[in-house]
Amino acid sequence: MFFKYVILIIVPLLLFISCERVKYFPDKPVEFEKTYLIAHRGSGMQNDGNTLNGLVKGLNALDGVECDIQRSQQNTIWLSHASELESCGEYGGGCFVSLNDDRIVEIDSCLDLEQTFTRLELVFAYMSANFPDKYIS
């Protein structure tokens, strides 16, 4: 019984001294200049997605492009959706991160023209020279 009275006295006392009114801050509205349209996979087309050709098409058509990238063994960033490169002729493929840049170039040269791999630094240079006001994601 004594325990019941202690709880009835201590709990309200703790609630009174420990509770503070929640402070709400006013919303800060975000001001948008405009909505930007970004081409998915560069141009959005299946055949040339994530290639320099696809990015050029997307940059010509919209405000910017989205592309997928992979890192090589030498930490070079390449345009590619797939993390695996398939073998081509005498050139063995494998995971991008396990292949050096020379092997990626060899496989790229061996594959058909629809599957091309471009260094991201070349994409930035091309965009800077030809589309300085466009975006890449």
Side-chain angles (χ1 to χ4, degrees):
M1 184 89 158
F2 175 74
F3 185 68
K4 184 177 180 182
Y5 288 116
V6 171
I7 291 179
L8 287 174
I9 293 171
I10 293 180
V11 170
L13 182 61
L14 288 174
L15 289 175
F16 178 72
I17 62 172
S18 65
C19 292
E20 186 177 317
R21 185 167 189 262
V22 176
K23 295 178 184 178
Y24 293 99
F25 297 97
D27 289 336
K28 291 183 181 179
V30 177
E31 295 182 23
F32 292 100
E33 293 177 22
K34 70 178 210 170
T35 299
Y36 295 97
L37 299 176
I38 306 293
H40 180 250
R41 298 183 66 202
S43 68
M45 304 303 285
Q46 186 70 22
N47 293 342
D48 58 8
N50 295 305
T51 64
L52 183 59
N53 187 39
L55 293 180
V56 170
K57 288 179 184 177
L59 291 167
N60 278 313
L62 299 173
D63 299 314
V65 293
E66 174 274 337
C67 60
D68 298 327
I69 56 175
Q70 301 294 331
R71 180 178 62 90
S72 73
Q73 188 180 48
Q74 294 166 295
N75 293 321
T76 304
I77 306 298
W78 294 83
L79 288 182
S80 178
H81 175 72
S83 60
E84 295 269 336
L85 277 159
E86 52 186 84
S87 299
C88 186
E90 64 187 72
Y91 307 113
C95 187
F96 251 97
V97 75
S98 68
L99 298 174
N100 65 39
D101 294 342
D102 292 336
R103 177 54 50 102
I104 293 170
V105 170
E106 290 169 344
I107 293 171
D108 181 45
S109 300
C110 180
L111 293 172
D112 59 13
L113 293 177
E114 288 184 8
Q115 289 186 307
T116 59
F117 304 105
T118 305
R119 290 178 173 92
L120 190 59
E121 63 193 59
L122 296 176
V123 173
F124 287 150
Y126 183 84
M127 285 182 67
S128 177
N130 298 288
F131 299 98
D133 297 330
K134 301 283 182 146
Y135 300 93
I136 187 168
S137 165

